Amino acid sequence: MRFRHPDGSTVHLAYCTNVHPAETLEGVLAQLRDHCEPVRRRLGRDRLGIGLWLARDAARSLITDPASLRALRAEIDRRGLEVVTLNGFPYEGFGAEEVKYRVYQPDWTRPERLAHTTDLARLLAALLPDDITEGTISTLPIAWRTPFDSRAADTARTALTTLAERLDALEELTGKSVRIGLEPEPGCTVESTADAIAPLTALSSPRIGVCVDTCHLATSFEDPHAALDALGSAGIPVVKTQLSAALHAEHPHLPEVRAALAEFAEPRFLHQTRTRTAAGLRGTDDLPEALAGRSLPDGAPWRAHFHVPLHAPPAPPLTSTLPVLRSALALLVGGPRPRTHHLEVETYTWQALPADRRPRTRARLADGIAAELTLARDLLSDLGLKELP
């Protein structure tokens, strides 16, 4: 979905396909048929943006077989879809029964991460619509925090510098500009937007900036205004924004609140949980850990890294951090000029929701994704952006 900003530039809205498990090219093609096109039809649009997730095996098959890449591009066009952004965070196995810490491997200290992201950039340059010259890719925020030392930091910086050089060469070759966004996430070496400033300043490349995920922003209790001001003052671009909402518990000391949170403590994904104290931010790596004992103070609200559907917050006594998303979006695209042009709804946890809230059919899932995009579309319209055909 494309929108015209009052300054005349185009803002893109997509939804991320990492919600649909697929490790192979065949699986990706099935996603387009079974999920993406049905969502587009529900929205009544001739064109729908998708934030494509290509796992390692799918990406390699496209790189090694140009005919397959041309066929994918043709299928995307045929089904009324378009791709201007990729989700390069998960490497493989994102649809596994247990993902947890595996999603952070390989990290930016490993050559496989550089090779995979280079592949993704080449593929995105080929998949961009003919009238679009700029694409974006989100990636993990360097590494999980442990084990990580100064030597690992040097290795990661070298890899990202090499990537920036490859992206320069790619633009010279294709005329397409691809930028990468490190996606701050609780528990990682770059947990917050503030943590991103030092390593990205050291890189000093306009090719590499930040992907702001509004669920992660909220989970770390970052104030959107302060976070975006700090990035702007440091000259760090917001390459891409993922529109998502975290789980919020206002009174985590109450038994009924604990019981409600326990319904979201599931085995597939990591749900980092945070609270603010007088001494600063405190947290656990996962929601079950927070609920199991007294490792996390419960005298102030908790937030958990659980992407809840934008249009359907959990029932009381819980809620979502949708207000943080609204505030961030207004700051990003509500001003005289947009600070980012690529927006991606990223609720990948539909099948990890409590059993009574999970979509049981493809049709129900498509309904939910379409409802999220409708909410995002309405928010953009309220900020003065005009939806384009």
Side-chain angles (χ1 to χ4, degrees):
M1 301 169 75
R2 299 188 187 189
F3 295 80
R4 181 72 68 204
H5 190 273
D7 77 340
S9 64
T10 300
V11 172
H12 296 266
L13 173 65
Y15 91 89
C16 186
T17 65
N18 64 355
V19 62
H20 312 304
E23 300 288 321
T24 65
L25 177 56
E26 290 74 17
V28 171
L29 293 171
Q31 286 178 350
L32 305 181
R33 179 192 67 228
D34 297 338
H35 299 288
C36 302
E37 186 177 9
V39 170
R40 177 182 65 77
R41 292 186 180 281
R42 279 162 172 76
L43 291 167
R45 306 300 301 161
D46 293 333
R47 173 174 52 193
L48 174 67
I50 55 172
L52 197 61
W53 174 57
L54 296 172
R56 179 197 62 178
D57 288 349
R60 286 308 303 165
S61 66
L62 290 167
I63 285 290
T64 57
D65 184 358
S68 292
L69 178 55
R70 290 192 295 270
L72 174 61
R73 169 66 188 270
E75 189 70 358
I76 288 170
D77 293 343
R78 187 173 76 85
R79 297 195 180 277
L81 308 170
E82 68 176 8
V83 176
V84 302
T85 189
L86 300 180
N87 189 323
F89 196 134
Y91 181 75
E92 62 184 353
F94 201 60
E97 291 185 6
E98 182 177 330
V99 178
K100 299 291 185 181
Y101 295 94
R102 291 172 50 192
V103 75
Y104 307 106
Q105 295 296 329
D107 61 30
W108 276 103
T109 68
R110 303 267 299 278
E112 301 97 316
R113 176 60 66 172
L114 174 59
H116 178 58
T117 309
T118 301
D119 285 348
L120 293 180
R122 292 171 59 192
L123 295 172
L124 180 56
L127 293 173
L128 285 173
D130 292 339
D131 62 337
I132 300 297
T133 58
E134 296 185 0
T136 58
I137 302 172
S138 49
T139 188
L140 80 160
I142 300 179
W144 186 252
R145 69 181 185 278
T146 56
F148 195 82
D149 55 20
S150 59
R151 179 176 296 182
D154 289 342
T155 301
R157 183 167 56 251
T158 299
L160 288 166
T161 300
T162 300
L163 176 66
E165 294 168 350
R166 291 177 179 179
L167 296 176
D168 286 340
L170 181 67
E171 183 172 14
E172 290 184 10
L173 180 66
T174 66
K176 304 289 189 178
S177 173
V178 175
R179 294 191 296 164
I180 307 296
L182 301 184
E183 183 183 330
E185 176 164 314
C188 294
T189 59
V190 176
E191 170 154 339
S192 66
T193 55
D195 294 333
I197 291 175
L200 290 177
T201 300
L203 280 175
S204 189
S205 171
R207 294 287 182 191
I208 303 180
V210 166
C211 170
V212 173
D213 184 303
T214 57
C215 171
H216 303 172
L217 190 80
T219 301
S220 293
F221 286 89
E222 289 196 79
D223 173 67
H225 195 282
L228 294 172
D229 273 0
L231 290 175
S233 296
I236 305 298
V238 179
V239 169
K240 169 180 173 178
T241 297
Q242 288 174 327
L243 304 180
S244 53
L247 191 62
H248 180 94
E250 186 70 19
H251 302 293
H253 65 286
L254 296 176
E256 60 268 29
V257 175
R258 295 282 185 124
L261 283 170
E263 295 185 13
F264 288 84
E266 54 83 37
R268 177 176 293 181
F269 300 111
L270 205 61
H271 302 297
Q272 301 93 317
T273 305
R274 298 289 186 266
T275 189
R276 286 185 292 192
T277 72
L281 202 65
R282 290 277 303 277
T284 60
D285 283 355
D286 211 352
L287 181 56
E289 181 185 351
L291 294 169
R294 298 190 176 276
S295 58
L296 196 62
D298 59 8
W302 286 4
R303 288 178 179 172
H305 173 216
F306 194 117
H307 291 222
V308 296
L310 302 185
H311 69 293
L318 303 178
T319 187
S320 81
T321 60
L322 184 63
V324 176
L325 183 160
R326 291 177 181 269
S327 296
L329 189 62
L331 293 167
L332 287 163
V333 302
R337 289 179 300 277
R339 298 182 61 174
T340 186
H341 290 86
H342 290 180
L343 307 172
E344 177 184 74
V345 171
E346 196 213 14
T347 304
Y348 59 82
T349 45
W350 282 94
Q351 299 306 330
L353 290 167
D356 61 344
R357 302 190 65 205
R358 294 176 198 164
R360 297 297 182 182
T361 64
R362 290 176 184 169
R364 294 292 298 274
L365 178 59
D367 290 343
I369 294 170
E372 287 194 294
L373 286 166
T374 297
L375 183 148
R377 179 187 65 193
D378 292 346
L379 291 178
L380 292 173
S381 297
D382 291 343
L383 291 171
L385 282 74
K386 180 180 179 181
E387 187 175 2
L388 298 174

